[in-house]
Amino acid sequence: MIEEEVAKLLKLKAQLGPDENKQKFVLKTPKGTRDYSPQQMAVREKVFDVIIRCFKRHGAEVIDTPVFELKETLTGKYGEDSKLIYDLKDQGGELLSLRYDLTVPFARYLAMNKLTNIKRYHIAKVYRRDNPAMTRGRYREFYQCDFDIAGQFDPMIPDAECLKIMCEILSSLQIGNFLVKVNDRRILDGMFAVCGVPDSKFRTICSSVDKLDKVSWEEVKNEMVGEKGLAPEVADRIGDYVQQHGGVSLVEQLLQDPKLSQNKQALEGLGDLKLLFEYLALFGIDDKISFDLSLARGLDYYTGVIYEAVLLQTPAQAGEEPLGVGSVAAGGRYDGLVGMFDPKGRKVPCVGLSIGVERIFSIVEQRLEALEEKVRTTETQVLVASAQKKLLEERLKLVSELWDAGIKAELLYKKNPKLLNQLQYCEEAGIPLVAIIGEQELKDGVIKLRSVATREEVDVRREDLVEEIKRRTNQPLCIC
Amino acid sequence: MIEEEVAKLLKLKAQLGPDENKQKFVLKTPKGTRDYSPQQMAVREKVFDVIIRCFKRHGAEVIDTPVFELKETLTGKYGEDSKLIYDLKDQGGELLSLRYDLTVPFARYLAMNKLTNIKRYHIAKVYRRDNPAMTRGRYREFYQCDFDIAGQFDPMIPDAECLKIMCEILSSLQIGNFLVKVNDRRILDGMFAVCGVPDSKFRTICSSVDKLDKVSWEEVKNEMVGEKGLAPEVADRIGDYVQQHGGVSLVEQLLQDPKLSQNKQALEGLGDLKLLFEYLALFGIDDKISFDLSLARGLDYYTGVIYEAVLLQTPAQAGEEPLGVGSVAAGGRYDGLVGMFDPKGRKVPCVGLSIGVERIFSIVEQRLEALEEKVRTTETQVLVASAQKKLLEERLKLVSELWDAGIKAELLYKKNPKLLNQLQYCEEAGIPLVAIIGEQELKDGVIKLRSVATREEVDVRREDLVEEIKRRTNQPLCIC
């Protein structure tokens, strides 16, 4: 008996033999990346649709740039984060890197085409060799949805529109309450100056301040003093400022601040913020905005107002696990970046925003899962089916007529499918109608049109079929 | 005088000094790539819209995969073309390559998710380190639009649908007359066998045959005999076959061919083609299809029917230069590719097609240029303008109301723009309506609504403005 089993197993092993070679191969996507299934694509398209409609509502054009840039185009734009850039292998020819964001390619595009004036959006994937945290929507390949206004304009009008766009999108997406923190690089720099931070330490102290949304002031202070060598009393002075946040009244209070008001940069920043708040009130969104002195933003290229939207909580749904609350949109003013590319150093002031869609995808997906909502992944209106055998030719003829008339139609790829299987396919795929061909119907010049939901069947004259299908499915198809 | 000039120039040079450093930097996109301007994006979106609508009409789901794959995923799939793959630099971690097409990632996706059955489309950029010919629409970064049907089905039904889709798309795009060449890898292999080509030379002789659409039979024969060492009489036998093309009657003729009909593979291929032509007739597209024994297709992974659509001519438009006529869509059956990824070697038969959109973009762009057609790049319905100074606040309030009501609206980012400048902006951007705020209108509770085309102005009560704008612009916006 045992010998028999061994023989069987050996035979099995021999059969598997050639396949084991294949097993060495790892079947996966690269670290930090993922495929999008049809269900995930349905969510993605729904989110993109909200965002694109908003960008178009604000009169934006759209551009696209290559996924890689000359390496030198990206050099010196991202500070410490440059180490996260993906380089391409030198295979002869130019040295290339994958884009790290859409802002630097946009600035390169403006300088290259000598544009001084554009309002554009750009939705595309960007690449960062970061430590992925995929359950929280942090990937190495991820989408950015950017809207930017380039051009020399009167102060704070485009800046206010960027904040308005951010609020419109986050409201439309219905992902919960949010708050937009606002600050200004000039206020930060002015504050560091009046507190006594040496010029050379502005950037590094700035990145310590940026951590205040995750850790306590005590820890940040320890970093400033312990690691970065700041005098404790200087750190305390910073602490007094950065722990403040509020509305326009805080702006006005700081405009009276005996030290800050002596600093030209801070004064300019505060003056602009005051104007910004006026415009935000006219846009009806001032209640969503918080002037927050601890907001610093990592990237080097910002020169003026900066902002970041955070979710206050995810909507509490039955069975839903709490998601890490964090930044879902951000942006700011960068007036110097285009000049870095222009051969004559001509500046083009820019302000823009970026929507963190990956985190938003995660939130929407989780909500749909919690609700056990089934997302339709096709838009098929009708399945062409047959009640008897030997009707493949008739099915092919009918489905072709429907396609040519613009109807979304399918048929099973079998010569003689069972009617039950055809009906089951409709149930699974959410197809609302079945056009059933039978021998009697062919003689009578009709098609049996069946509603999958109600199981009602009516005979429709073949020449009226297209109109009848259109009539029954004319409500705009919703993928959610 | 001269000294003065020299001094001036030296001063100028000193001023330019720091900028010259910047000049070392080359302001360009990588070789073989391009940016898409708003005008080009408008064309691109129009073409994609036609393609996506067709894919959805045929019941396809949509997926997406990362732009790079593990290097080993792509290894051994593309034959000679593998040298054109872009590798990423080894920065520690996995070895990665940019995707070369969408077919291999699709097969990897099926095997990884153990799917045996899907009809999906995928539109994304792919990367090939080829010699670019950008004026003819050949780039190193370019879009592919793929539709594939995976699953075990009755013969030739999905294959026929792929050809139907290709014809629907090429007809809808109105880029001129086209013809779809069809052949079968099994017929090619059978033909080589009966002509006396050694097994080891099948692939290389196949790639010689593939050149027949560009060069004469004499040249191809010379390559086969001179470079590839084929006996001249063997080459002549091949020549007798591959110079034939026709419809279903040629299929029937070859089924009676004394040599070919003795070859099992060729017989299978011819039998399937006969069935295919039956289905194509039912789909009403048999007149677009030509059985062409010289069609070979480069890629290794095809196993059955193969096809390629060529434009017969570009539409002759005034002032238009003739474009190189070439392949605009192609595809075929690949029943072995998924099995290369599956740990147990399980096969999933697949058939699909790919639309060559870059060439199509070029053709459509060239046609628009020749017609001097202006493409609108925004969808803005109304500009919010003011007739007098000091009305910025009122403009901001009104534009915000319109955005909140879903109206696509803009305003100039100036405190006190001139009315003339605001009207000119509308002319340039193709904005059809202007909502003009004036002091008198504010008092009367009305807005002056002006049609840019007719210059007609009417006073509209503020509470009716949204409805009136919607009424006047409710025709579906067309970007072409």
Side-chain angles (χ1 to χ4, degrees):
Chain A
M1 278 294 273
I2 290 177
E3 267 177 11
E4 242 178 67
E5 283 299 316
V6 169
K8 258 192 208 163
L9 284 172
L10 281 174
K11 202 174 154 193
L12 208 66
K13 200 184 159 205
Q15 282 171 350
L16 286 171
D19 298 329
E20 273 174 12
N21 277 327
K22 286 181 185 163
Q23 289 250 7
K24 286 185 298 188
F25 175 79
V26 187
L27 204 56
K28 67 186 283 293
T29 62
K31 185 179 177 188
T33 70
R34 60 164 167 176
D35 297 317
Y36 285 84
S37 70
Q39 288 73 23
Q40 290 168 319
M41 286 298 281
V43 171
R44 183 174 122 179
E45 290 193 340
K46 182 172 138 58
V47 171
F48 280 164
D49 183 55
V50 167
I51 293 170
I52 292 172
R53 267 191 289 127
C54 179
F55 289 164
K56 287 191 172 172
R57 195 158 60 237
H58 288 262
E61 304 184 280
V62 57
I63 70 159
D64 194 19
T65 65
V67 79
F68 42 62
E69 294 278 344
L70 298 184
K71 187 175 165 57
E72 57 181 347
T73 299
L74 307 190
T75 303
K77 309 299 185 306
Y78 300 109
E80 278 181 22
D81 287 349
S82 297
K83 64 178 185 298
L84 303 180
I85 293 174
Y86 277 98
D87 291 329
L88 269 74
K89 191 171 157 186
D90 183 2
Q91 294 171 286
E94 299 161 336
L95 289 180
L96 307 174
S97 302
L98 297 186
R99 61 182 163 213
Y100 182 85
D101 65 9
L102 303 177
T103 309
V104 169
F106 174 54
R108 191 264 308 143
Y109 175 83
L110 292 180
M112 193 172 132
N113 295 288
K114 298 191 174 60
L115 299 176
T116 55
N117 211 319
I118 191 173
K119 182 161 61 182
R120 79 88 182 83
Y121 72 91
H122 187 185
I123 296 183
K125 289 174 176 176
V126 301
Y127 299 87
R128 300 185 184 178
R129 296 180 60 252
D130 212 338
N131 272 330
M134 313 220 294
T135 50
R136 303 170 132 238
R138 207 168 78 206
Y139 295 88
R140 289 184 160 195
E141 172 186 62
F142 59 97
Y143 268 97
Q144 283 197 334
C145 299
D146 280 22
F147 173 101
D148 294 82
I149 301 171
Q152 184 69 59
F153 300 115
D154 281 330
M156 306 320 278
I157 311 176
D159 313 59
E161 185 170 0
C162 286
L163 286 163
K164 173 75 174 157
I165 289 172
M166 236 154 86
C167 290
E168 283 182 24
I169 289 172
L170 294 177
S171 300
S172 310
L173 287 172
Q174 297 180 291
I175 48 172
N177 276 331
F178 63 91
L179 184 77
V180 185
K181 299 180 192 173
V182 173
N183 197 1
D184 192 295
R185 272 283 161 91
R186 292 164 298 174
I187 299 175
L188 279 167
D189 285 353
M191 176 184 78
F192 293 143
V194 302
C195 290
V197 178
D199 281 16
S200 61
K201 290 193 174 162
F202 274 21
R203 282 287 150 269
T204 184
I205 294 303
C206 195
S207 76
S208 298
V209 168
D210 203 32
K211 292 174 187 164
L212 271 175
D213 58 340
K214 292 185 200 80
V215 302
S216 69
W217 166 245
E218 279 313 305
E219 285 172 82
V220 169
K221 185 185 164 183
N222 283 344
E223 181 179 302
M224 288 178 173
V225 177
E227 286 178 37
K228 303 191 168 173
L230 212 61
E233 62 276 17
V234 173
D236 285 336
R237 271 178 237 140
I238 296 174
D240 290 342
Y241 283 116
V242 297
Q243 289 172 279
Q244 298 183 61
H245 53 87
V248 68
S249 57
L250 177 59
V251 179
E252 275 154 4
Q253 180 195 318
L254 290 177
L255 274 167
Q256 308 302 324
D257 182 276
K259 283 182 292 175
L260 264 190
S261 61
Q262 298 307 306
N263 180 284
K264 188 169 165 277
Q265 278 211 71
L267 212 55
E268 275 178 24
L270 288 164
D272 275 352
L273 273 199
K274 197 178 161 203
L275 192 58
L276 179 67
F277 267 101
E278 273 176 40
Y279 296 162
L280 298 178
L282 292 165
F283 283 165
I285 53 164
D286 50 331
D287 59 322
K288 295 279 182 198
I289 315 288
S290 164
F291 173 34
D292 189 323
L293 280 153
S294 74
L295 178 72
R297 308 271 309 128
L299 295 168
D300 273 6
Y301 49 63
Y302 290 116
T303 55
V305 61
I306 49 180
Y307 32 81
E308 188 170 297
V310 290
L311 292 187
L312 293 178
Q313 53 181 57
T314 54
Q317 303 282 1
E320 191 173 332
E321 278 183 38
L323 254 179
V325 172
S327 160
V328 286
R333 177 162 282 283
Y334 50 102
D335 288 346
L337 192 57
V338 179
M340 289 173 77
F341 290 108
D342 189 277
K344 298 207 171 122
R346 276 175 298 223
K347 285 192 176 179
V348 179
C350 293
V351 64
L353 66 101
S354 188
I355 306 289
V357 276
E358 302 291 344
R359 185 161 264 161
I360 292 169
F361 295 154
S362 296
I363 294 167
V364 175
E365 270 174 21
Q366 207 177 42
R367 195 177 51 195
L368 288 173
E369 256 173 57
L371 294 172
E372 289 178 26
E373 259 186 51
K374 215 187 156 190
V375 182
R376 253 201 97 177
T377 55
T378 65
E379 297 178 8
T380 309
Q381 296 164 293
V382 61
L383 183 83
V384 173
S386 52
Q388 292 100 12
K389 289 192 175 181
K390 294 193 183 163
L391 289 170
L392 174 61
E393 283 74 13
E394 292 298 335
R395 279 193 292 139
L396 291 175
K397 246 162 62 184
L398 181 58
V399 78
S400 180
E401 278 173 37
L402 295 177
W403 288 330
D404 291 344
I407 300 289
K408 295 167 190 157
E410 289 184 72
L411 81 169
L412 293 200
Y413 302 128
K414 277 181 81 76
K415 271 187 92 117
N416 295 308
K418 288 184 183 138
L419 187 57
L420 189 64
N421 290 347
Q422 297 174 88
L423 297 178
Q424 255 168 5
Y425 181 82
C426 292
E427 300 268 6
E428 283 158 23
I431 301 173
L433 297 173
V434 198
I436 305 172
I437 305 172
E439 276 156 20
Q440 190 55 49
E441 284 83 1
L442 279 175
K443 279 182 202 138
D444 299 346
V446 298
I447 302 288
K448 210 178 269 308
L449 193 62
R450 178 186 170 111
S451 154
V452 175
T454 67
R455 300 181 182 193
E456 256 176 298
E457 292 183 352
V458 285
D459 282 350
V460 179
R461 281 166 29 157
R462 189 165 182 134
E463 57 269 34
D464 299 333
L465 184 63
V466 167
E467 277 318 304
E468 182 61 17
I469 294 170
K470 281 188 184 164
R471 199 183 60 75
R472 294 224 204 166
T473 54
N474 73 345
Q475 58 271 47
L477 283 160
C478 176
I479 55 162
C480 62
Chain B
M1 280 292 272
I2 291 179
E3 269 179 8
E4 243 180 66
E5 282 300 316
V6 169
K8 259 193 209 164
L9 284 172
L10 281 174
K11 200 173 157 197
L12 207 65
K13 200 184 158 204
Q15 283 172 347
L16 286 171
D19 299 329
E20 274 173 14
N21 277 330
K22 287 184 184 163
Q23 289 251 6
K24 284 185 297 184
F25 175 79
V26 187
L27 204 56
K28 67 186 282 293
T29 62
K31 185 179 176 189
T33 70
R34 59 164 167 177
D35 297 318
Y36 285 84
S37 69
Q39 288 74 24
Q40 291 169 319
M41 287 298 281
V43 171
R44 184 174 120 177
E45 290 194 340
K46 181 173 139 58
V47 171
F48 280 164
D49 183 55
V50 167
I51 294 170
I52 292 171
R53 268 192 288 127
C54 179
F55 289 164
K56 287 190 172 173
R57 195 158 60 236
H58 288 262
E61 304 183 281
V62 57
I63 69 159
D64 194 18
T65 64
V67 80
F68 42 61
E69 294 277 345
L70 298 183
K71 187 175 166 56
E72 55 180 349
T73 299
L74 307 190
T75 303
K77 309 299 185 305
Y78 301 108
E80 280 181 21
D81 287 350
S82 298
K83 63 179 185 297
L84 303 180
I85 293 173
Y86 277 98
D87 292 328
L88 269 75
K89 191 171 155 185
D90 183 2
Q91 293 172 286
E94 300 161 336
L95 290 180
L96 307 174
S97 302
L98 297 185
R99 64 182 161 212
Y100 182 84
D101 65 8
L102 303 178
T103 310
V104 168
F106 175 53
R108 192 265 307 143
Y109 175 83
L110 292 181
M112 194 173 131
N113 295 288
K114 299 192 175 58
L115 299 176
T116 54
N117 212 317
I118 191 174
K119 182 160 62 182
R120 80 88 182 82
Y121 71 91
H122 187 185
I123 296 183
K125 289 174 176 176
V126 301
Y127 299 87
R128 300 185 184 178
R129 296 181 58 253
D130 212 339
N131 272 330
M134 314 221 292
T135 51
R136 304 170 133 238
R138 207 167 78 204
Y139 293 88
R140 288 183 161 197
E141 172 186 64
F142 59 97
Y143 268 98
Q144 284 197 334
C145 301
D146 280 22
F147 173 101
D148 294 81
I149 301 171
Q152 185 70 58
F153 300 115
D154 281 329
M156 307 320 279
I157 311 177
D159 312 60
E161 186 170 0
C162 286
L163 286 163
K164 173 75 175 157
I165 289 172
M166 236 154 87
C167 290
E168 283 181 26
I169 289 172
L170 294 177
S171 300
S172 310
L173 287 171
Q174 297 180 290
I175 49 173
N177 276 331
F178 62 91
L179 184 77
V180 185
K181 298 180 194 173
V182 172
N183 197 3
D184 192 294
R185 271 283 162 90
R186 292 165 297 174
I187 299 176
L188 280 167
D189 285 353
M191 178 184 77
F192 293 144
V194 303
C195 291
V197 178
D199 281 16
S200 61
K201 290 193 174 161
F202 274 21
R203 281 287 149 271
T204 182
I205 294 303
C206 195
S207 77
S208 297
V209 169
D210 203 33
K211 292 175 186 163
L212 271 175
D213 59 338
K214 291 184 199 83
V215 301
S216 70
W217 165 247
E218 279 315 305
E219 284 172 82
V220 169
K221 185 186 164 183
N222 282 343
E223 182 180 299
M224 287 179 174
V225 177
E227 285 178 39
K228 303 192 169 172
L230 212 60
E233 61 276 15
V234 173
D236 285 335
R237 271 178 238 142
I238 295 174
D240 289 343
Y241 283 116
V242 297
Q243 288 172 281
Q244 297 183 60
H245 53 86
V248 69
S249 58
L250 178 59
V251 179
E252 274 154 4
Q253 182 194 317
L254 291 177
L255 274 167
Q256 306 303 322
D257 181 276
K259 283 181 292 175
L260 263 190
S261 60
Q262 298 307 306
N263 181 284
K264 188 169 165 278
Q265 279 212 70
L267 211 57
E268 276 179 23
L270 288 165
D272 275 353
L273 273 200
K274 199 179 158 202
L275 192 59
L276 180 68
F277 267 101
E278 272 175 42
Y279 296 161
L280 298 177
L282 292 165
F283 283 166
I285 53 165
D286 48 332
D287 59 321
K288 294 280 183 197
I289 315 288
S290 164
F291 173 34
D292 190 323
L293 280 152
S294 74
L295 178 72
R297 307 274 308 130
L299 295 169
D300 274 5
Y301 50 63
Y302 290 118
T303 54
V305 62
I306 49 178
Y307 31 80
E308 188 171 296
V310 291
L311 292 186
L312 294 177
Q313 53 180 58
T314 54
Q317 303 278 4
E320 189 172 333
E321 278 183 39
L323 252 181
V325 171
S327 159
V328 286
R333 177 162 282 284
Y334 49 102
D335 288 347
L337 192 58
V338 179
M340 290 173 76
F341 290 109
D342 189 277
K344 298 210 170 121
R346 275 175 299 223
K347 285 191 177 179
V348 179
C350 293
V351 63
L353 65 102
S354 186
I355 305 289
V357 276
E358 301 292 342
R359 185 162 265 160
I360 292 168
F361 294 155
S362 295
I363 294 166
V364 176
E365 270 174 22
Q366 208 178 42
R367 196 177 52 196
L368 289 174
E369 256 173 56
L371 294 171
E372 290 179 27
E373 258 184 52
K374 216 186 156 190
V375 182
R376 255 202 97 177
T377 54
T378 65
E379 298 178 6
T380 308
Q381 296 163 294
V382 62
L383 183 84
V384 172
S386 53
Q388 292 100 14
K389 288 192 176 181
K390 294 195 184 163
L391 289 170
L392 173 62
E393 283 73 14
E394 292 297 336
R395 280 192 293 137
L396 291 175
K397 245 162 63 184
L398 180 59
V399 78
S400 180
E401 279 174 36
L402 295 177
W403 288 330
D404 292 344
I407 300 290
K408 295 167 191 157
E410 290 184 70
L411 81 168
L412 294 201
Y413 302 127
K414 275 180 81 78
K415 272 187 90 116
N416 295 309
K418 288 182 183 142
L419 187 57
L420 190 64
N421 291 347
Q422 296 175 88
L423 297 178
Q424 255 168 5
Y425 181 82
C426 292
E427 300 267 5
E428 283 158 22
I431 300 172
L433 297 173
V434 198
I436 306 173
I437 305 171
E439 276 156 20
Q440 190 56 48
E441 284 83 1
L442 279 175
K443 278 183 206 140
D444 300 346
V446 297
I447 302 289
K448 210 179 269 308
L449 193 62
R450 177 186 169 112
S451 154
V452 176
T454 67
R455 299 178 183 197
E456 258 175 298
E457 292 182 351
V458 285
D459 282 352
V460 178
R461 282 165 28 158
R462 190 167 180 131
E463 56 269 36
D464 300 334
L465 185 63
V466 168
E467 278 317 305
E468 181 63 17
I469 294 170
K470 282 188 184 164
R471 199 183 61 74
R472 294 222 204 170
T473 54
N474 73 346
Q475 57 272 47
L477 283 161
C478 176
I479 55 162
C480 62

